[in-house]
Amino acid sequence: MSLTAAARVRPVGQDHYSISEVASYTGLSAHTLRWYERIGLLNGVHRSHTGQRLYTDGDLDWLDLIGKLRLTGMPVADMVRYAELVRAGDQTMPERTQLFREHREVVRQQIEDLRTTLAVLDFKIEFYEGASSQCTP
Amino acid sequence: MSLTAAARVRPVGQDHYSISEVASYTGLSAHTLRWYERIGLLNGVHRSHTGQRLYTDGDLDWLDLIGKLRLTGMPVADMVRYAELVRAGDQTMPERTQLFREHREVVRQQIEDLRTTLAVLDFKIEFYEGASSQCTP
DNA sequence: TACTTGCTTGGAGTGCACTCCAAGCAACAA
DNA sequence: TTGTTGCTTGGAGTGCACTCCAAGCAAGTA
Protein backbone atom coordinates (compact mmCIF):
# COMPACT_ATOMS: atom_id res chain seq x y z
CA MET A 1 0.00 0.00 0.00
CA SER A 2 2.93 2.31 0.68
CA LEU A 3 6.07 2.84 -1.36
CA THR A 4 9.60 2.44 -0.09
CA ALA A 5 11.56 5.56 0.74
CA ALA A 6 14.19 4.67 -1.90
CA ALA A 7 11.67 4.71 -4.74
CA ARG A 8 10.43 8.14 -3.71
CA VAL A 9 13.67 10.00 -4.43
CA ARG A 10 13.01 12.40 -7.26
CA PRO A 11 15.68 12.15 -10.00
CA VAL A 12 18.10 15.03 -10.62
CA GLY A 13 16.12 18.25 -10.95
CA GLN A 14 16.35 18.51 -14.70
CA ASP A 15 12.60 19.00 -15.22
CA HIS A 16 12.39 16.31 -17.87
CA TYR A 17 12.24 12.65 -16.93
CA SER A 18 11.87 9.48 -18.97
CA ILE A 19 8.96 7.13 -18.38
CA SER A 20 11.21 4.65 -16.55
CA GLU A 21 12.54 7.36 -14.24
CA VAL A 22 8.97 8.38 -13.41
CA ALA A 23 8.00 4.74 -12.96
CA SER A 24 10.73 4.17 -10.39
CA TYR A 25 9.94 7.48 -8.68
CA THR A 26 6.21 6.91 -8.38
CA GLY A 27 6.23 3.12 -8.04
CA LEU A 28 3.72 2.94 -10.90
CA SER A 29 4.61 0.82 -13.92
CA ALA A 30 5.36 2.42 -17.29
CA HIS A 31 2.24 0.65 -18.54
CA THR A 32 0.15 2.38 -15.89
CA LEU A 33 1.67 5.79 -16.68
CA ARG A 34 0.74 5.41 -20.36
CA TRP A 35 -2.72 4.18 -19.36
CA TYR A 36 -3.23 7.17 -17.02
CA GLU A 37 -2.43 9.44 -19.94
CA ARG A 38 -4.78 7.59 -22.29
CA ILE A 39 -7.74 7.92 -19.93
CA GLY A 40 -7.10 11.64 -19.35
CA LEU A 41 -5.69 11.45 -15.84
CA LEU A 42 -2.42 12.97 -16.99
CA ASN A 43 -2.60 15.45 -19.79
CA GLY A 44 -0.23 16.87 -22.36
CA VAL A 45 2.94 15.00 -21.43
CA HIS A 46 5.70 16.53 -23.54
CA ARG A 47 7.60 14.48 -26.13
CA SER A 48 11.21 14.39 -27.30
CA HIS A 49 12.00 14.84 -31.03
CA THR A 50 11.83 11.03 -31.31
CA GLY A 51 8.37 10.89 -29.74
CA GLN A 52 9.38 9.66 -26.29
CA ARG A 53 7.61 11.05 -23.23
CA LEU A 54 9.34 13.71 -21.16
CA TYR A 55 7.72 14.28 -17.78
CA THR A 56 8.16 17.59 -15.96
CA ASP A 57 8.38 18.36 -12.23
CA GLY A 58 4.79 19.55 -12.54
CA ASP A 59 3.78 16.10 -13.80
CA LEU A 60 5.56 14.53 -10.82
CA ASP A 61 3.72 16.83 -8.41
CA TRP A 62 0.44 15.88 -10.06
CA LEU A 63 1.31 12.17 -9.77
CA ASP A 64 2.08 12.70 -6.08
CA LEU A 65 -1.41 14.08 -5.53
CA ILE A 66 -3.01 11.33 -7.62
CA GLY A 67 -1.06 8.75 -5.66
CA LYS A 68 -2.36 10.10 -2.38
CA LEU A 69 -5.94 10.12 -3.60
CA ARG A 70 -5.44 6.57 -4.88
CA LEU A 71 -4.25 5.46 -1.43
CA THR A 72 -7.56 6.68 -0.02
CA GLY A 73 -9.41 4.46 -2.48
CA MET A 74 -10.71 7.24 -4.71
CA PRO A 75 -11.93 5.61 -7.95
CA VAL A 76 -9.89 6.43 -11.04
CA ALA A 77 -13.04 7.82 -12.66
CA ASP A 78 -13.31 10.46 -9.89
CA MET A 79 -9.68 11.42 -10.31
CA VAL A 80 -10.25 11.80 -14.05
CA ARG A 81 -13.23 14.03 -13.24
CA TYR A 82 -10.97 16.18 -11.06
CA ALA A 83 -8.35 16.34 -13.84
CA GLU A 84 -11.07 17.54 -16.22
CA LEU A 85 -12.10 20.27 -13.79
CA VAL A 86 -8.50 21.46 -13.51
CA ARG A 87 -8.19 21.51 -17.30
CA ALA A 88 -11.45 23.48 -17.57
CA GLY A 89 -9.92 26.43 -15.70
CA ASP A 90 -10.35 28.55 -12.59
CA GLN A 91 -14.13 28.83 -12.77
CA THR A 92 -14.39 25.18 -11.66
CA MET A 93 -12.77 25.91 -8.29
CA PRO A 94 -16.03 25.73 -6.31
CA GLU A 95 -16.74 22.31 -7.79
CA ARG A 96 -13.23 21.14 -6.96
CA THR A 97 -13.63 22.38 -3.40
CA GLN A 98 -16.89 20.45 -3.13
CA LEU A 99 -15.25 17.29 -4.51
CA PHE A 100 -12.45 17.48 -1.96
CA ARG A 101 -14.79 18.33 0.88
CA GLU A 102 -16.83 15.20 0.18
CA HIS A 103 -13.72 13.11 -0.16
CA ARG A 104 -12.37 14.47 3.12
CA GLU A 105 -15.37 12.97 4.92
CA VAL A 106 -14.75 9.63 3.22
CA VAL A 107 -11.15 9.69 4.40
CA ARG A 108 -12.19 10.62 7.94
CA GLN A 109 -14.60 7.69 8.02
CA GLN A 110 -11.90 5.36 6.74
CA ILE A 111 -9.57 6.44 9.53
CA GLU A 112 -12.36 5.78 12.02
CA ASP A 113 -12.97 2.30 10.60
CA LEU A 114 -9.27 1.50 10.61
CA ARG A 115 -8.92 2.58 14.22
CA THR A 116 -11.80 0.30 15.23
CA THR A 117 -10.19 -2.60 13.41
CA LEU A 118 -6.81 -1.83 14.96
CA ALA A 119 -8.43 -2.15 18.39
CA VAL A 120 -9.93 -5.52 17.42
CA LEU A 121 -6.56 -6.69 16.10
CA ASP A 122 -4.84 -5.61 19.33
CA PHE A 123 -7.47 -7.47 21.33
CA LYS A 124 -7.09 -10.64 19.25
CA ILE A 125 -3.29 -10.57 19.44
CA GLU A 126 -3.44 -10.13 23.20
CA PHE A 127 -5.90 -12.99 23.46
CA TYR A 128 -3.80 -15.36 21.34
CA GLU A 129 -0.66 -14.45 23.26
CA GLY A 130 -2.42 -15.01 26.60
CA ALA A 131 -3.68 -18.38 25.39
CA SER A 132 -0.25 -19.53 24.20
CA SER A 133 1.53 -18.36 27.37
CA GLN A 134 -0.85 -20.58 29.33
CA CYS A 135 0.41 -23.53 27.32
CA THR A 136 4.06 -22.70 28.08
CA PRO A 137 4.02 -21.21 31.58
CA MET B 1 -17.06 1.93 2.74
CA SER B 2 -19.09 2.04 5.93
CA LEU B 3 -22.54 0.65 6.58
CA THR B 4 -25.49 2.61 7.87
CA ALA B 5 -26.42 2.22 11.54
CA ALA B 6 -29.88 0.90 10.58
CA ALA B 7 -28.45 -2.05 8.66
CA ARG B 8 -26.28 -3.02 11.62
CA VAL B 9 -29.14 -3.89 13.96
CA ARG B 10 -28.96 -7.61 14.68
CA PRO B 11 -32.35 -9.31 14.25
CA VAL B 12 -34.18 -10.75 17.26
CA GLY B 13 -31.80 -12.97 19.24
CA GLN B 14 -33.18 -16.25 18.01
CA ASP B 15 -29.79 -17.64 17.02
CA HIS B 16 -30.98 -18.69 13.57
CA TYR B 17 -31.29 -16.17 10.79
CA SER B 18 -32.24 -16.51 7.12
CA ILE B 19 -29.83 -15.44 4.41
CA SER B 20 -31.84 -12.28 3.74
CA GLU B 21 -31.76 -11.31 7.43
CA VAL B 22 -28.01 -11.78 7.47
CA ALA B 23 -27.70 -9.84 4.21
CA SER B 24 -29.52 -6.85 5.65
CA TYR B 25 -27.57 -7.10 8.91
CA THR B 26 -24.13 -7.28 7.31
CA GLY B 27 -24.79 -5.18 4.22
CA LEU B 28 -23.45 -8.04 2.09
CA SER B 29 -25.67 -9.45 -0.64
CA ALA B 30 -27.11 -12.97 -0.38
CA HIS B 31 -24.98 -13.78 -3.42
CA THR B 32 -21.87 -12.74 -1.55
CA LEU B 33 -22.82 -14.73 1.54
CA ARG B 34 -23.21 -17.90 -0.55
CA TRP B 35 -19.95 -17.12 -2.34
CA TYR B 36 -18.11 -16.64 0.98
CA GLU B 37 -19.32 -20.08 2.03
CA ARG B 38 -18.29 -21.66 -1.27
CA ILE B 39 -14.71 -20.35 -1.02
CA GLY B 40 -14.36 -21.49 2.59
CA LEU B 41 -14.58 -18.13 4.30
CA LEU B 42 -17.68 -19.21 6.21
CA ASN B 43 -17.91 -22.83 7.15
CA GLY B 44 -20.61 -25.24 8.15
CA VAL B 45 -23.64 -22.97 7.94
CA HIS B 46 -26.56 -24.97 9.31
CA ARG B 47 -29.54 -25.87 7.14
CA SER B 48 -33.26 -26.14 7.79
CA HIS B 49 -35.09 -29.40 6.94
CA THR B 50 -35.81 -27.87 3.52
CA GLY B 51 -32.14 -27.12 2.88
CA GLN B 52 -32.23 -23.37 3.55
CA ARG B 53 -29.34 -21.74 5.37
CA LEU B 54 -29.73 -20.89 9.05
CA TYR B 55 -27.04 -18.57 10.36
CA THR B 56 -26.19 -18.48 14.07
CA ASP B 57 -25.04 -15.60 16.28
CA GLY B 58 -21.58 -17.11 16.01
CA ASP B 59 -21.74 -16.76 12.21
CA LEU B 60 -22.76 -13.12 12.65
CA ASP B 61 -19.81 -12.49 14.97
CA TRP B 62 -17.50 -14.09 12.43
CA LEU B 63 -18.97 -11.92 9.65
CA ASP B 64 -18.39 -8.85 11.83
CA LEU B 65 -14.71 -9.71 12.09
CA ILE B 66 -14.46 -10.52 8.38
CA GLY B 67 -16.16 -7.21 7.59
CA LYS B 68 -13.62 -5.28 9.63
CA LEU B 69 -10.70 -7.06 7.99
CA ARG B 70 -12.29 -6.35 4.61
CA LEU B 71 -12.50 -2.64 5.44
CA THR B 72 -8.75 -2.66 5.95
CA GLY B 73 -8.26 -4.06 2.46
CA MET B 74 -7.22 -7.56 3.53
CA PRO B 75 -7.48 -9.79 0.44
CA VAL B 76 -10.21 -12.44 0.58
CA ALA B 77 -7.51 -15.10 0.08
CA ASP B 78 -5.83 -14.03 3.35
CA MET B 79 -9.14 -14.15 5.20
CA VAL B 80 -9.73 -17.66 3.83
CA ARG B 81 -6.25 -18.58 5.08
CA TYR B 82 -7.21 -17.32 8.54
CA ALA B 83 -10.48 -19.27 8.43
CA GLU B 84 -8.50 -22.42 7.60
CA LEU B 85 -6.21 -21.83 10.58
CA VAL B 86 -9.21 -21.45 12.88
CA ARG B 87 -10.70 -24.68 11.50
CA ALA B 88 -7.37 -26.47 12.01
CA GLY B 89 -7.59 -25.97 15.79
CA ASP B 90 -5.76 -24.41 18.70
CA GLN B 91 -2.26 -25.43 17.63
CA THR B 92 -2.41 -22.79 14.87
CA MET B 93 -2.67 -19.93 17.37
CA PRO B 94 0.96 -18.79 16.95
CA GLU B 95 0.44 -18.56 13.19
CA ARG B 96 -2.78 -16.62 13.68
CA THR B 97 -1.01 -14.22 16.04
CA GLN B 98 1.69 -13.71 13.43
CA LEU B 99 -0.89 -13.09 10.71
CA PHE B 100 -2.64 -10.44 12.81
CA ARG B 101 0.62 -8.86 13.91
CA GLU B 102 1.64 -8.37 10.28
CA HIS B 103 -1.77 -7.04 9.37
CA ARG B 104 -1.70 -4.63 12.29
CA GLU B 105 1.37 -2.98 10.75
CA VAL B 106 -0.43 -2.71 7.42
CA VAL B 107 -3.36 -1.01 9.12
CA ARG B 108 -1.07 1.37 11.02
CA GLN B 109 0.61 2.34 7.75
CA GLN B 110 -2.78 2.90 6.13
CA ILE B 111 -3.82 5.23 8.93
CA GLU B 112 -0.55 7.14 8.44
CA ASP B 113 -1.13 7.46 4.70
CA LEU B 114 -4.71 8.58 5.22
CA ARG B 115 -3.64 11.22 7.70
CA THR B 116 -1.11 12.60 5.22
CA THR B 117 -3.76 12.73 2.53
CA LEU B 118 -6.22 14.38 4.92
CA ALA B 119 -3.67 17.15 5.48
CA VAL B 120 -3.25 17.61 1.72
CA LEU B 121 -7.02 17.72 1.29
CA ASP B 122 -7.35 20.33 4.06
CA PHE B 123 -4.63 22.38 2.42
CA LYS B 124 -6.28 22.19 -1.02
CA ILE B 125 -9.71 23.09 0.35
CA GLU B 126 -8.25 26.07 2.19
CA PHE B 127 -6.45 27.16 -0.96
CA TYR B 128 -9.54 26.88 -3.15
CA GLU B 129 -11.64 28.74 -0.59
CA GLY B 130 -9.04 31.51 -0.32
CA ALA B 131 -8.95 31.83 -4.10
CA SER B 132 -12.73 32.02 -4.44
CA SER B 133 -13.11 34.53 -1.57
CA GLN B 134 -10.72 36.81 -3.47
CA CYS B 135 -13.14 36.77 -6.38
CA THR B 136 -16.08 37.71 -4.16
CA PRO B 137 -14.65 39.96 -1.45
C1' DT C 1 27.27 -3.94 -39.17
C1' DA C 2 24.95 -6.45 -35.69
C1' DC C 3 23.04 -6.42 -31.36
C1' DT C 4 20.91 -4.61 -27.19
C1' DT C 5 18.18 -1.39 -24.72
C1' DG C 6 14.43 1.53 -24.13
C1' DC C 7 10.87 3.42 -25.87
C1' DT C 8 6.29 3.69 -29.03
C1' DT C 9 1.22 2.01 -30.24
C1' DG C 10 -3.75 -0.13 -30.01
C1' DG C 11 -5.87 -3.77 -28.44
C1' DA C 12 -6.26 -7.91 -25.83
C1' DG C 13 -5.67 -10.31 -21.36
C1' DT C 14 -5.58 -10.77 -16.12
C1' DG C 15 -6.97 -10.98 -11.22
C1' DC C 16 -9.96 -9.72 -7.84
C1' DA C 17 -14.34 -9.47 -5.68
C1' DC C 18 -18.26 -9.89 -6.46
C1' DT C 19 -22.88 -10.26 -9.23
C1' DC C 20 -26.14 -12.32 -11.93
C1' DC C 21 -28.69 -16.10 -14.35
C1' DA C 22 -31.74 -19.97 -15.25
C1' DA C 23 -34.00 -23.70 -13.54
C1' DG C 24 -36.13 -25.60 -9.78
C1' DC C 25 -38.18 -26.49 -5.00
C1' DA C 26 -41.00 -25.41 -0.58
C1' DA C 27 -44.31 -22.69 1.88
C1' DC C 28 -48.02 -19.79 2.01
C1' DA C 29 -52.05 -16.55 0.23
C1' DA C 30 -56.22 -15.85 -2.78
C1' DT D 1 -55.39 -24.62 -7.85
C1' DT D 2 -52.78 -20.96 -9.08
C1' DG D 3 -49.78 -17.58 -8.20
C1' DT D 4 -46.08 -15.21 -5.32
C1' DT D 5 -42.16 -15.14 -2.42
C1' DG D 6 -37.90 -16.72 -0.89
C1' DC D 7 -34.77 -19.80 -1.12
C1' DT D 8 -31.46 -23.50 -3.67
C1' DT D 9 -27.51 -24.68 -7.26
C1' DG D 10 -23.28 -24.40 -10.66
C1' DG D 11 -21.58 -21.70 -13.82
C1' DA D 12 -21.22 -17.55 -16.44
C1' DG D 13 -20.81 -12.48 -16.51
C1' DT D 14 -19.30 -7.75 -14.77
C1' DG D 15 -16.48 -3.73 -13.47
C1' DC D 16 -12.36 -2.01 -11.99
C1' DA D 17 -7.55 -1.17 -12.34
C1' DC D 18 -4.26 -2.44 -14.26
C1' DT D 19 -0.96 -5.56 -17.17
C1' DC D 20 0.77 -7.56 -21.07
C1' DC D 21 1.62 -8.38 -26.11
C1' DA D 22 3.44 -7.96 -30.74
C1' DA D 23 5.41 -5.21 -33.96
C1' DG D 24 8.26 -1.53 -34.76
C1' DC D 25 11.56 2.53 -34.27
C1' DA D 26 15.78 5.18 -32.50
C1' DA D 27 20.10 5.44 -30.07
C1' DG D 28 24.13 3.55 -28.24
C1' DT D 29 27.78 -0.31 -27.81
C1' DA D 30 30.97 -4.31 -29.60
Side-chain angles (χ1 to χ4, degrees), chain B residues 26-93:
Chain B
T26 59
L28 299 167
S29 71
H31 297 297
T32 301
L33 288 167
R34 289 190 205 101
W35 178 67
Y36 275 7
E37 196 177 335
R38 224 189 310 172
I39 63 174
L41 190 50
L42 203 61
N43 60 320
V45 175
H46 296 154
R47 300 301 179 111
S48 72
H49 68 103
T50 57
Q52 301 191 194
R53 287 171 179 81
L54 293 176
Y55 294 83
T56 64
D57 280 313
D59 292 330
L60 261 43
D61 292 341
W62 174 259
L63 285 167
D64 274 340
L65 175 61
I66 289 303
K68 284 191 177 54
L69 295 177
R70 202 173 58 109
L71 278 178
T72 66
M74 183 184 272
V76 168
D78 289 8
M79 296 195 285
V80 171
R81 171 84 190 123
Y82 174 63
E84 281 164 357
L85 289 175
V86 172
R87 273 196 290 277
D90 285 358
Q91 78 278 11
T92 65
M93 277 192 180

Side-chain angles (χ1 to χ4, degrees), chain A residues 95-110:
Chain A
E95 205 171 331
R96 290 185 234 167
T97 316
Q98 186 55 25
L99 197 148
F100 279 158
R101 237 197 273 270
E102 281 165 18
H103 194 60
R104 180 166 60 180
E105 288 320 301
V106 171
V107 174
R108 281 206 182 120
Q109 185 59 57
Q110 281 183 49

Side-chain angles (χ1 to χ4, degrees), chain A residues 64-65 68-69 100, chain B residues 113-127:
Chain A
D64 275 340
L65 175 62
K68 284 191 176 56
L69 296 178
F100 279 158
Chain B
D113 291 343
L114 288 176
R115 264 206 265 268
T116 308
T117 306
L118 201 56
V120 172
L121 247 27
D122 284 343
F123 179 82
K124 286 267 175 193
I125 289 167
E126 217 167 286
F127 170 77

Side-chain angles (χ1 to χ4, degrees), chain A residues 84-95:
Chain A
E84 281 165 357
L85 289 175
V86 172
R87 273 196 290 278
D90 285 357
Q91 77 278 10
T92 64
M93 277 191 180
E95 205 171 331

Side-chain angles (χ1 to χ4, degrees), chain A residues 33-111:
Chain A
L33 287 167
R34 289 190 204 102
W35 179 67
Y36 275 7
E37 195 176 337
R38 227 189 306 172
I39 63 174
L41 191 50
L42 201 62
N43 61 320
V45 174
H46 297 155
R47 300 300 179 112
S48 71
H49 67 104
T50 57
Q52 300 189 195
R53 286 170 179 81
L54 294 175
Y55 294 83
T56 64
D57 281 312
D59 293 329
L60 262 44
D61 291 341
W62 175 258
L63 285 168
D64 275 340
L65 175 62
I66 289 303
K68 284 191 176 56
L69 296 178
R70 202 174 57 111
L71 278 179
T72 66
M74 183 184 273
V76 167
D78 289 8
M79 296 195 284
V80 170
R81 172 82 189 125
Y82 174 62
E84 281 165 357
L85 289 175
V86 172
R87 273 196 290 278
D90 285 357
Q91 77 278 10
T92 64
M93 277 191 180
E95 205 171 331
R96 290 185 234 167
T97 316
Q98 186 55 25
L99 197 148
F100 279 158
R101 237 197 273 270
E102 281 165 18
H103 194 60
R104 180 166 60 180
E105 288 320 301
V106 171
V107 174
R108 281 206 182 120
Q109 185 59 57
Q110 281 183 49
I111 292 175

Side-chain angles (χ1 to χ4, degrees), chain A residues 11-23:
Chain A
V12 175
Q14 58 209 339
D15 206 32
H16 55 272
Y17 312 102
S18 72
I19 197 163
S20 60
E21 281 173 321
V22 177

